[in-house]
Amino acid sequence: MEKQFSVVGRRLPMLDAAAKVNGSAQFTDDLMLPGMLHGKILRSRLPHAKILNVDVSKAARLRGVKGVVTGAEIPDRQYGIVPKARDEYALAKGKVRYIGDEIAAVCAIDQEIAEEAVELIEVDYEELPSVFDPLDAIKEGAPIIHEGVANNTSFAIRKEFGDVEGAFAASHLVSEDSFYSQPVNHAPLEPHSAVAQHDPIRGQVVLWSSTQIPFFLRRNLAATLQIPESRVRVIKPKVGGGFGQKIDMFAKDFCAAWFAMKLGKPVKFTYERDEVFIGTRQRHPMYLKVKTGMTKDGKILGQQFLAYADGGAYNSTAPTMMALSCFFLMVPYHVPNLLYEGYHVYTNKPVGGAMRGHGIPQARFAVERQLDMMAERLNLDPAEIRWKNSIKAGEPHPGGFVINTCGFAESVRAAAKAIGWKEKRGKLPFGRGVGLGGASFPSGVTNMSHISSGAVVQVGQDASVNVLTGAADIGQGAETVIAQIVAEVLGVSLDDVRVTAADTGATPLDPGTFGSGVTVRAGNAARIAAESVKKRLFECVADELEANPEDLVAKDGVIFVTGSPEINIPFAKALKAYQYKDLPMPLVGRASWMADTSEPTTLFNQPGNFSPSYSFMTQAAEVEVDTKTGKVKVIKMATAHDCGRPINPMLVEGQLEGSIAGGMGQALYENVITEKGQVMNPSFLDYGFPTTLEVPEMESIDIETDDPVGPFGAKEAGEGTQLSPAPAIVNAIYDAIGVHFNELPVTPERILKALEERK
Amino acid sequence: MEKQFSVVGRRLPMLDAAAKVNGSAQFTDDLMLPGMLHGKILRSRLPHAKILNVDVSKAARLRGVKGVVTGAEIPDRQYGIVPKARDEYALAKGKVRYIGDEIAAVCAIDQEIAEEAVELIEVDYEELPSVFDPLDAIKEGAPIIHEGVANNTSFAIRKEFGDVEGAFAASHLVSEDSFYSQPVNHAPLEPHSAVAQHDPIRGQVVLWSSTQIPFFLRRNLAATLQIPESRVRVIKPKVGGGFGQKIDMFAKDFCAAWFAMKLGKPVKFTYERDEVFIGTRQRHPMYLKVKTGMTKDGKILGQQFLAYADGGAYNSTAPTMMALSCFFLMVPYHVPNLLYEGYHVYTNKPVGGAMRGHGIPQARFAVERQLDMMAERLNLDPAEIRWKNSIKAGEPHPGGFVINTCGFAESVRAAAKAIGWKEKRGKLPFGRGVGLGGASFPSGVTNMSHISSGAVVQVGQDASVNVLTGAADIGQGAETVIAQIVAEVLGVSLDDVRVTAADTGATPLDPGTFGSGVTVRAGNAARIAAESVKKRLFECVADELEANPEDLVAKDGVIFVTGSPEINIPFAKALKAYQYKDLPMPLVGRASWMADTSEPTTLFNQPGNFSPSYSFMTQAAEVEVDTKTGKVKVIKMATAHDCGRPINPMLVEGQLEGSIAGGMGQALYENVITEKGQVMNPSFLDYGFPTTLEVPEMESIDIETDDPVGPFGAKEAGEGTQLSPAPAIVNAIYDAIGVHFNELPVTPERILKALEERK
């Protein structure tokens, strides 16, 4: 009984589905305020140069221009989401470090004038030598991009767990291989946008921004504007995708607020698509060398990694990215001995940042590829080698992770079965093949931000329920999931629940959307707040039902006595009873949730539990390689997925299908091509991510575990499934044509070239 | 100490002053949603007619038209804020009752097309005989405007307190006089507007509306659309004045929601200025006969009233208006015996509704005029006769009112002194004169809506305070007053407080803005919620300060020990302490407030306490009459005002000055002129209310009383001061030229005519 849910676990459409489909949903760029001005940013045309002079006089004189600002005028305060890695100004001061670096901004009565004005700004550069590859950038004598950062290495991480040399000595087979993963852009459909309004009397600025992290943005904006946090209010309208690209503050946020404060008028900055490619963030290109020692029967004894991440011109989330890429080598496989050495290196290229999977997909590609290569040399089944090495729930973990539930081994078997592994692997005609890839991902990282998720649940006299949460729905359906949780607890319909979200001036604190922690963090907060409301209602109707509050159940709009559903009272009637008792106090529940880690780890010292829970998944691919054109057609992707209990299986599937498309892009199509630091394909047309035409048949298998931490047993479901499609596809390509590709993307050119060489 | 306030009692600018001054404030009509459609309403061209047929085919065929609706199609459900007086459809069914009555509505891709389409709708009328004066409308054989309403009398009230006949018999002087007060329009600067958005999946409609009563509007809209209340969400943006005119639901609200639901797109309806004059509400014209008995020395023994209110075509708030006009004859003067007989009569004219003072100004004009006339006949000082008859705090009240504080007698003396009464009254050269008028008003009516005001106060980690209230700020500064109260309680600066207001989907219940109850109702709720937050903070820091929570004080950003301010902790630091203790629960206080009347009266039976508290005021006018042109120049208005303790004296002054302009309009300029039911002056240009050029020197004297009910002793300050400027001015005109004017407005024509006759 208690385990049967009415709202949780159902395939329900997102709360805002209709508004998005009929186009009436309001995104940041849709916002229009009376007297609003429009801004445009001037970006560097050189990859590395001193700024000798910026002459804005012509721009300032252009009719319709209301303001111009250069880096020289703004406060000397760098920003960044990771405090110790702050190295960026809203507008560059003194020098530019990549083509796209922000130099100045203009604000005018319309967009066209703003764009014309930007063209009139004259910049005197002194060009400096540039470096575009991290392996060059670390060499002695390479141009220094950030003063004081030797070898352009802004962050280095070295971790050893156990004894790797010993492990290799004890191994039957030790294999060392090199891999490369390319730069990939998030390409959210909604370009980055910000609108600011300022109140000079109260000294307060309101910023509407397409952001994943309203509260961190408030902090960064307040710091860079040098005003108190309490004078900044960040509101998140609908967001059309983020994928990590909207985790940072950007020049558009700062400049909108800056001009609003200077000019006393609302100001909007919306990036063009090419600015999103050039001037925001991308997935870090990464060189990886992997050395793995195995027993004769394929048990992993030890692994050693050397990673060079191309950070581009700034740090963004560098330390976090490197730490994730390191720590998550210890799931989903049991790696008793691990040595990881990683370097985040500056180059004069677009900036790397958080992107779905955040440092893990690059490492995952290397590991999953090498597993297949070693399985072959050991003459073992790549599927078997995976479940054989699977970590198990409850077992001690070298990294200090606490694995409460783990459906990985099961997911390998299920995915293999779904793709027809037994019948197909190595048995298909030339040009056809199947492949596997496994992965694991955290449900939010406990130790990144000591910030909790708060929730306030109010029940109105109309029997509608309003949830105030700071969680940032960026299109993934966070608000829907939170509403489902509240509806389930209170036993009302989803349509009775409204979510008011992401307004730092009106909703409780939340760290925001990253690390796939929203459902567990904000979901738990909402659950607890709703339970306190329910408790109060139960107390109010207990007498009338002649029962103890503890014996009451709320379900499908009624409150009834456990075991005797005929003794009940409708939710709306219970509300009236409450209002009589509490004459008529607004019915409000509040709660806050934070992962309960006895000793919260800090990424960079001792091991600890990285996340409140871990999800697991295996992806199986079947591909067909056209040996004449070199084109790869993905025929099917089967995913077996342990995300605990899915609150909304349809939304989980949406996440899954999105990440398969993303993984296909990484494997076969996408690549931010630069020449001397200039992005050559900054448009949807030239960039070419997979479309509905490329997306294959997708089968989703739910490996349900009931996790003790997440609300109703839910775990991460947002990013994990993007980790293994790429290796699964590339492994399938090997099965199809017998060529190992260890560099991404696997383009038709590379395939044709490889087939040539094979002859 | 405890009595010295830091924020309460200070002249602070409104929270939204800057946004309104620089034009960036968003009113309903400023709201633009993607894909939004625009609507227009077709109004009756006849004052009284059967609708035989409405042909919308041409309109529907016009390119760009998306929808047309007529009264025949909408649900058979009438609306109105007073349940027992509902007599109006959003769109007329079967017949129209005044020129302006809504017949159909059109919705199109832009405003111009919508307006063109409306012109293409063909209506076949069967004209019916009309009646335009209530005294004709009550006669036998007069045309019946609403079926079943005999003599067109939709509401009658007869109340006797004590023995009026006996009082007259005992009187030294009994005087009977007749008076007339004209129709006046509220003329808010912001025309009425509504924007609706519908979610077909969830079956929910969101309405942004320029309304004074979001929660009542939710109720009326849900009822007329025939969907559950929980499926309607009403949001109040900035409102540019209401004065009672935005208390009703209007066709624009219903039609916006209707089309949004039918078409799945956002829809906006904004009225033109002439529609505001013709198709919304106006102050009821009223005929009054007053018979008063007095002792030789001017003590009122008894009063008898006969009132005919011209309601126009519909009831709107008729019963409330008549009850107010009756009950408030028992303040500010002690009237031991009272007989009131009042009739609300339908005519084929624009609809009367709530307007600042709501039925009382008309009666006040009659009483205050007659007091002067009787004083003259008794050879008494009009000032003396007023304070002599003043009711006193604590004394038993014939109407059952509980008068906790009363500064009326004092206000008469103060106002008289300020205008130079002794030196000037009867002593100025011909053409110059001074006059007085007294009044009293409730601080919200306890018994109209058994709905409480709720408040939720949240303190964020940035030490900012957010207040959620359902109170509707319509420009008077309600949000500022509420924020001041919360800031005072928590001891923070006003700039640290934000107010999130008037969203039925996110803020607690509130009856809305009417009856001048917001400060007392919503202010008390906010005060209590803030106190619960403070209590929790005190508990958290008590140990650290080595004191009992009860001994702590919050003031000017610090919490300190009473008597030893040196032992203190800053508010922000206390917040951190709280977060440690409550790890880190959002700090939320909630409260609800409702007037505590032992036996809430219902207007229409036994007496009882009408309001939690009563404010009192006297206005004194000095005028100059140009005997050649008949023009009256108001030289000065002095007001002595007991509104308890003003939370923000500047806002109180703003209310006062606005109501002096309103009262001048009623006395001298304003009049909605109709000919055969057609409004002849429906524009600012033709209507001619006073401007800054007419407004005189204004002196405001604060008679401070510390009321036990209101927050920090505050009482009503919104409407009361509009009750007596008109009689004060007309009394001054008598002093100037010796002519009694008992009909409003006193135009130059009337003055010249009277001066003629006097010769």
Side-chain angles (χ1 to χ4, degrees):
Chain A
M1 170 89 209
E2 192 264 307
K3 279 256 165 287
Q4 284 155 16
F5 301 116
S6 303
V7 187
V8 158
R10 284 183 54 204
R11 304 174 61 85
L12 296 165
M14 289 192 197
L15 301 187
D16 55 8
K20 283 180 174 171
V21 169
N22 70 24
S24 66
Q26 226 181 4
F27 294 81
T28 303
D29 188 58
D30 293 320
L31 188 68
M32 306 199 220
L33 295 178
M36 188 171 71
L37 302 172
H38 302 263
K40 182 73 179 178
I41 288 167
L42 173 69
R43 297 175 179 279
S44 171
R45 293 189 171 79
L46 297 179
H48 198 192
K50 281 210 186 100
I51 301 173
L52 300 178
N53 182 50
V54 181
D55 179 356
V56 301
S57 54
K58 287 206 190 77
R61 278 200 305 274
L62 184 65
R63 160 168 276 136
V65 169
K66 296 296 184 182
V68 188
V69 61
T70 69
E73 301 162 51
I74 69 172
D76 185 5
R77 182 67 157 77
Q78 292 165 314
Y79 66 85
I81 194 160
V82 181
K84 62 184 69 171
R86 291 185 179 136
D87 61 357
E88 193 168 8
Y89 290 106
L91 297 172
K93 283 181 176 285
K95 70 183 275 189
V96 287
R97 297 178 172 87
Y98 76 105
I99 295 172
D101 214 347
E102 298 90 354
I103 293 174
V106 167
C107 173
I109 57 173
D110 69 33
Q111 193 59 47
E112 293 62 34
I113 294 173
E115 282 161 15
E116 187 184 343
V118 154
E119 297 304 317
L120 295 175
I121 297 175
E122 290 161 2
V123 184
D124 295 347
Y125 298 99
E126 176 193 328
E127 184 153 14
L128 300 168
S130 303
V131 60
F132 303 111
D133 187 288
L135 303 183
D136 299 331
I138 55 174
K139 290 188 186 134
E140 280 314 316
I144 291 302
I145 297 172
H146 286 266
E147 294 56 29
V149 179
N151 311 109
N152 293 304
T153 304
S154 69
F155 182 78
I157 177 172
R158 186 181 188 287
K159 294 218 167 288
E160 179 157 17
F161 301 95
D163 165 19
V164 171
E165 279 316 316
F168 290 154
S171 294
H172 170 80
L173 169 67
V174 175
S175 172
E176 184 165 34
D177 306 280
S178 295
F179 303 89
Y180 172 75
S181 176
Q182 82 280 32
V184 169
N185 191 276
H186 312 60
L189 277 182
E190 180 207 19
H192 300 47
S193 181
V195 175
Q197 184 177 30
H198 180 249
D199 181 334
I201 295 177
R202 310 189 69 210
Q204 297 189 343
V205 61
V206 181
L207 184 81
W208 291 263
S209 179
S210 48
T211 179
Q212 301 183 216
I213 43 142
F215 289 87
F216 276 111
L217 179 52
R218 176 179 74 183
R219 176 180 298 175
N220 277 294
L221 194 56
T224 48
L225 291 169
Q226 298 188 319
I227 59 178
E229 258 192 71
S230 60
R231 297 297 183 269
V232 176
R233 177 180 188 175
V234 174
I235 300 173
K236 179 206 70 69
K238 300 280 176 212
V239 171
F243 312 104
Q245 203 177 36
K246 293 169 180 171
I247 278 181
D248 288 278
M249 182 178 106
F250 290 102
K252 48 113 186 165
D253 298 305
F254 177 90
C255 293
W258 171 273
F259 280 125
M261 288 169 72
K262 295 288 171 205
L263 304 174
K265 285 191 170 286
V267 180
K268 179 189 285 180
F269 275 77
T270 299
Y271 286 173
E272 294 295 325
R273 178 55 58 184
D274 62 343
E275 291 181 283
V276 175
F277 272 94
I278 294 166
T280 65
R281 298 293 183 249
Q282 64 183 19
R283 188 185 297 287
H284 295 83
M286 206 184 279
Y287 293 97
L288 273 144
K289 191 173 286 181
V290 187
K291 187 174 176 187
T292 299
M294 283 185 181
T295 62
K296 196 166 185 318
D297 57 0
K299 208 101 182 63
I300 299 169
L301 296 183
Q303 284 189 307
Q304 180 174 345
F305 292 83
L306 177 61
Y308 291 97
D310 180 350
Y314 296 101
N315 268 331
S316 181
T317 57
T320 312
M321 185 274 297
M322 295 303 290
L324 284 161
S325 129
C326 162
F327 277 72
F328 277 77
L329 292 165
M330 291 178 280
V331 281
Y333 304 116
H334 183 71
V335 181
N337 304 286
L338 178 88
L339 172 60
Y340 182 96
E341 204 178 319
Y343 301 94
H344 180 269
V345 183
Y346 287 133
T347 60
N348 296 113
K349 299 225 299 292
V351 181
M355 180 173 177
R356 207 173 189 182
H358 204 187
I360 303 179
Q362 298 94 318
R364 202 76 253 142
F365 171 67
V367 170
E368 296 294 321
R369 280 262 56 237
Q370 194 191 42
L371 273 180
D372 270 34
M373 293 161 75
M374 293 181 74
E376 185 182 34
R377 288 159 70 181
L378 291 171
N379 194 24
L380 293 169
D381 174 355
E384 186 192 350
I385 208 170
R386 283 178 167 82
W387 72 63
K388 187 176 280 171
N389 282 289
S390 169
I391 58 164
K392 305 191 178 23
E395 80 180 5
H397 184 274
F401 293 9
V402 179
I403 311 291
N404 290 315
T405 51
C406 174
F408 182 64
E410 201 183 330
S411 78
V412 179
R413 291 192 179 84
K417 186 162 183 299
I419 207 71
W421 186 258
K422 269 209 184 55
E423 313 77 62
K424 294 179 176 172
R425 165 71 184 181
K427 299 173 183 141
L428 291 168
F430 186 81
R432 286 287 283 259
V434 294
L436 292 174
S440 174
F441 203 76
S443 310
V445 281
T446 52
N447 46 7
M448 262 184 60
S449 52
H450 297 279
I451 293 182
S452 68
S453 279
V456 173
V457 171
Q458 302 173 356
V459 181
Q461 285 198 344
D462 62 347
S464 72
V465 179
N466 185 54
V467 188
L468 300 179
T469 171
D473 193 328
I474 57 171
Q476 81 275 43
E479 292 181 15
T480 306
V481 165
I482 288 166
Q484 282 181 272
I485 289 167
V486 169
E488 187 64 51
V489 170
L490 293 175
V492 299
S493 135
L494 183 62
D495 292 342
D496 294 322
V497 182
R498 290 198 191 91
V499 177
T500 302
D503 174 350
T504 67
T507 56
L509 189 71
D510 188 274
T513 291
F514 56 79
S516 296
V518 179
T519 296
V520 170
R521 258 191 327 246
N524 267 328
R527 176 182 57 79
I528 297 163
E531 275 162 359
S532 75
V533 166
K534 183 166 72 172
K535 185 170 180 298
R536 183 77 191 106
L537 272 183
F538 282 4
E539 287 161 5
C540 291
V541 298
D543 305 348
E544 188 168 344
L545 296 178
E546 294 169 342
N548 300 325
E550 310 74 56
D551 301 336
L552 297 180
V553 180
K555 206 167 170 51
D556 304 332
V558 294
I559 295 171
F560 61 88
V561 182
T562 325
S564 4
E566 69 284 1
I567 310 175
N568 66 61
I569 179 171
F571 180 80
K573 196 146 166 285
L575 212 57
K576 288 219 173 13
Y578 163 84
Q579 265 130 17
Y580 273 103
K581 270 223 174 63
D582 224 347
L583 190 64
M585 195 75 141
L587 184 49
V588 177
R590 67 200 178 100
S592 186
W593 193 87
M594 199 168 177
D596 167 29
T597 46
S598 48
E599 177 56 60
T601 61
T602 52
L603 286 180
F604 316 122
N605 48 33
Q606 88 284 3
N609 192 20
F610 206 100
S611 171
S613 64
Y614 303 81
S615 63
F616 297 91
M617 59 288 299
T618 299
Q619 273 158 328
E622 178 170 0
V623 303
E624 181 169 44
V625 179
D626 182 327
T627 52
K628 292 194 187 46
T629 64
K631 269 189 162 177
V632 175
K633 182 175 195 305
V634 179
I635 293 162
K636 178 177 179 175
M637 294 287 300
T639 306
H641 188 193
D642 161 23
C643 63
R645 174 180 292 109
I647 304 294
N648 187 325
M650 187 163 68
L651 300 193
V652 171
E653 246 173 57
Q655 288 296 311
L656 168 63
E657 296 179 353
S659 46
I660 284 173
M664 284 173 65
Q666 184 195 7
L668 303 173
Y669 309 108
E670 299 182 36
N671 194 4
V672 179
I673 298 161
T674 51
E675 285 180 15
K676 293 194 165 34
Q678 174 72 61
V679 176
M680 305 307 288
N681 54 348
S683 77
F684 280 0
L685 189 63
D686 301 318
Y687 181 65
F689 44 66
T691 70
T692 48
L693 299 178
E694 282 75 36
V695 168
E697 177 197 350
M698 295 180 280
E699 183 179 353
S700 166
I701 304 140
D702 183 23
I703 309 291
E704 191 167 305
T705 57
D706 186 1
D707 192 84
V709 179
F712 298 99
K715 299 195 289 191
E716 177 280 331
E719 299 178 65
T721 48
Q722 174 131 13
L723 304 179
S724 41
I729 289 165
V730 179
N731 286 340
I733 291 173
Y734 173 75
D735 187 41
I737 60 171
V739 182
H740 288 295
F741 292 96
N742 293 344
E743 281 190 28
L744 293 177
V746 182
T747 57
E749 297 71 17
R750 283 187 174 151
I751 286 184
L752 288 177
K753 188 160 167 294
L755 289 172
E756 269 314 309
E757 289 161 357
R758 243 169 123 267
K759 293 213 186 95
Chain B
M1 172 86 205
E2 193 265 309
K3 279 253 165 289
Q4 285 155 15
F5 302 117
S6 304
V7 186
V8 157
R10 285 183 52 203
R11 304 173 60 85
L12 296 165
M14 289 192 197
L15 301 188
D16 55 9
K20 283 180 174 171
V21 170
N22 70 24
S24 66
Q26 228 182 3
F27 295 81
T28 302
D29 187 58
D30 293 320
L31 188 68
M32 305 199 221
L33 295 177
M36 188 171 70
L37 302 172
H38 301 263
K40 181 74 178 175
I41 289 165
L42 173 69
R43 298 174 178 280
S44 172
R45 293 188 172 79
L46 297 178
H48 198 194
K50 280 211 186 97
I51 301 172
L52 300 178
N53 182 49
V54 181
D55 179 355
V56 303
S57 53
K58 287 208 189 76
R61 278 200 305 272
L62 183 65
R63 157 166 277 136
V65 170
K66 296 295 183 182
V68 188
V69 61
T70 69
E73 301 162 49
I74 69 171
D76 185 5
R77 181 69 155 76
Q78 292 165 313
Y79 66 85
I81 194 160
V82 181
K84 62 184 69 170
R86 292 185 179 136
D87 61 356
E88 192 168 8
Y89 290 105
L91 296 171
K93 283 180 175 287
K95 71 182 277 190
V96 287
R97 297 178 172 86
Y98 75 106
I99 295 172
D101 215 349
E102 298 90 353
I103 294 174
V106 167
C107 172
I109 56 173
D110 69 34
Q111 194 59 46
E112 294 63 33
I113 294 172
E115 281 161 17
E116 187 184 345
V118 154
E119 297 305 316
L120 295 175
I121 297 174
E122 289 160 2
V123 184
D124 295 349
Y125 299 98
E126 176 192 328
E127 183 151 16
L128 300 168
S130 304
V131 60
F132 303 111
D133 187 286
L135 303 182
D136 298 332
I138 57 174
K139 292 192 184 125
E140 281 313 315
I144 291 301
I145 297 172
H146 286 264
E147 296 56 32
V149 179
N151 311 108
N152 294 305
T153 304
S154 69
F155 182 78
I157 176 173
R158 186 181 188 286
K159 296 218 165 288
E160 180 157 17
F161 301 95
D163 165 19
V164 172
E165 279 315 317
F168 289 153
S171 294
H172 169 79
L173 168 67
V174 175
S175 172
E176 184 166 33
D177 306 280
S178 296
F179 303 88
Y180 172 76
S181 175
Q182 82 279 31
V184 169
N185 191 276
H186 311 62
L189 277 182
E190 179 207 18
H192 300 48
S193 181
V195 175
Q197 183 178 28
H198 180 250
D199 181 334
I201 295 177
R202 312 188 68 210
Q204 297 190 342
V205 61
V206 182
L207 184 81
W208 290 263
S209 179
S210 48
T211 180
Q212 302 182 218
I213 44 142
F215 289 87
F216 276 111
L217 179 51
R218 176 179 73 182
R219 176 181 297 175
N220 276 293
L221 194 56
T224 49
L225 291 170
Q226 298 190 319
I227 58 177
E229 257 192 71
S230 60
R231 297 297 184 269
V232 176
R233 177 180 188 174
V234 175
I235 300 172
K236 180 206 71 65
K238 300 280 177 213
V239 171
F243 312 105
Q245 201 177 37
K246 293 170 179 171
I247 278 180
D248 287 278
M249 182 178 107
F250 289 102
K252 48 112 186 164
D253 298 305
F254 178 90
C255 293
W258 172 273
F259 281 125
M261 289 169 72
K262 295 287 171 206
L263 304 173
K265 288 194 167 282
V267 180
K268 179 190 285 180
F269 276 76
T270 299
Y271 286 172
E272 295 293 325
R273 178 57 56 184
D274 64 341
E275 290 181 284
V276 175
F277 272 94
I278 294 165
T280 66
R281 300 292 184 248
Q282 64 184 18
R283 189 187 297 288
H284 295 83
M286 206 183 277
Y287 294 97
L288 272 144
K289 190 172 286 180
V290 188
K291 187 175 174 187
T292 300
M294 282 184 182
T295 62
K296 196 167 185 318
D297 55 3
K299 211 113 183 57
I300 299 169
L301 296 183
Q303 283 190 307
Q304 180 174 345
F305 291 82
L306 177 61
Y308 291 96
D310 181 348
Y314 296 101
N315 268 332
S316 181
T317 57
T320 313
M321 185 274 298
M322 296 302 291
L324 284 160
S325 122
C326 163
F327 278 72
F328 278 77
L329 291 164
M330 293 178 280
V331 281
Y333 305 117
H334 183 70
V335 182
N337 305 285
L338 178 89
L339 172 60
Y340 182 95
E341 204 178 321
Y343 302 93
H344 181 269
V345 183
Y346 288 132
T347 60
N348 296 114
K349 298 226 298 294
V351 182
M355 179 171 176
R356 208 173 189 183
H358 204 186
I360 303 178
Q362 299 96 317
R364 202 76 254 143
F365 171 67
V367 171
E368 297 294 321
R369 280 262 56 237
Q370 194 191 42
L371 274 179
D372 269 34
M373 293 161 75
M374 293 178 78
E376 184 181 32
R377 289 157 70 181
L378 292 169
N379 193 24
L380 295 170
D381 175 355
E384 185 192 350
I385 208 171
R386 284 179 165 82
W387 70 66
K388 187 176 284 173
N389 282 289
S390 169
I391 58 164
K392 300 185 182 31
E395 78 180 6
H397 184 273
F401 292 10
V402 179
I403 311 290
N404 290 316
T405 51
C406 173
F408 181 65
E410 201 183 331
S411 78
V412 179
R413 293 192 180 83
K417 185 162 181 301
I419 207 73
W421 186 257
K422 273 209 183 57
E423 314 78 64
K424 293 178 177 171
R425 164 72 184 181
K427 300 169 185 146
L428 291 168
F430 186 79
R432 288 285 285 259
V434 294
L436 292 173
S440 172
F441 204 76
S443 310
V445 284
T446 54
N447 47 7
M448 264 184 57
S449 53
H450 298 279
I451 292 182
S452 68
S453 280
V456 173
V457 171
Q458 302 172 354
V459 180
Q461 286 198 341
D462 62 348
S464 72
V465 179
N466 185 52
V467 187
L468 299 178
T469 170
D473 193 327
I474 56 171
Q476 80 275 43
E479 292 181 15
T480 306
V481 166
I482 289 166
Q484 283 181 272
I485 289 166
V486 169
E488 187 65 51
V489 170
L490 292 175
V492 299
S493 134
L494 182 62
D495 292 341
D496 294 323
V497 182
R498 290 197 191 95
V499 177
T500 302
D503 173 351
T504 67
T507 56
L509 188 72
D510 189 273
T513 292
F514 56 79
S516 297
V518 179
T519 296
V520 170
R521 259 191 326 247
N524 267 327
R527 177 183 55 81
I528 297 163
E531 276 162 358
S532 75
V533 165
K534 182 167 70 172
K535 185 170 180 298
R536 182 76 192 106
L537 272 182
F538 282 3
E539 288 161 5
C540 292
V541 297
D543 304 348
E544 188 167 341
L545 296 178
E546 293 169 340
N548 300 326
E550 310 73 56
D551 301 335
L552 297 180
V553 181
K555 206 167 172 47
D556 306 331
V558 293
I559 295 171
F560 61 89
V561 181
T562 327
S564 0
E566 69 285 2
I567 310 174
N568 65 59
I569 179 171
F571 181 80
K573 196 148 167 281
L575 211 58
K576 289 220 172 12
Y578 164 84
Q579 265 129 17
Y580 273 102
K581 269 223 172 60
D582 224 345
L583 191 66
M585 196 74 142
L587 184 51
V588 178
R590 68 204 178 97
S592 187
W593 193 87
M594 199 168 179
D596 166 30
T597 47
S598 47
E599 176 57 58
T601 62
T602 52
L603 286 180
F604 314 121
N605 48 36
Q606 88 283 0
N609 192 20
F610 206 100
S611 169
S613 64
Y614 303 81
S615 63
F616 298 90
M617 61 287 300
T618 299
Q619 272 158 327
E622 179 171 0
V623 304
E624 181 169 43
V625 179
D626 181 329
T627 53
K628 294 193 186 47
T629 64
K631 271 189 159 174
V632 175
K633 182 175 194 307
V634 180
I635 293 162
K636 178 178 179 176
M637 294 287 301
T639 307
H641 189 192
D642 161 22
C643 63
R645 174 180 291 106
I647 304 293
N648 187 326
M650 187 164 69
L651 301 193
V652 170
E653 246 174 58
Q655 288 296 310
L656 169 63
E657 295 180 354
S659 47
I660 284 172
M664 285 173 64
Q666 185 195 8
L668 303 173
Y669 309 109
E670 300 183 36
N671 193 4
V672 179
I673 297 160
T674 52
E675 284 179 15
K676 295 194 162 42
Q678 175 73 60
V679 177
M680 306 306 289
N681 54 346
S683 76
F684 280 179
L685 189 64
D686 301 320
Y687 181 64
F689 44 64
T691 69
T692 47
L693 300 178
E694 283 75 36
V695 168
E697 177 198 350
M698 296 181 280
E699 183 180 352
S700 167
I701 302 136
D702 182 22
I703 310 290
E704 190 165 306
T705 57
D706 186 2
D707 193 83
V709 179
F712 297 99
K715 300 196 287 190
E716 177 279 330
E719 299 178 66
T721 48
Q722 174 133 15
L723 303 178
S724 40
I729 288 165
V730 179
N731 286 340
I733 292 171
Y734 173 77
D735 187 41
I737 60 172
V739 183
H740 288 296
F741 291 98
N742 293 342
E743 283 190 26
L744 293 177
V746 183
T747 58
E749 296 72 17
R750 284 185 173 152
I751 286 184
L752 288 177
K753 189 158 166 295
L755 290 172
E756 269 314 308
E757 290 162 355
R758 238 168 128 271
K759 295 213 184 96

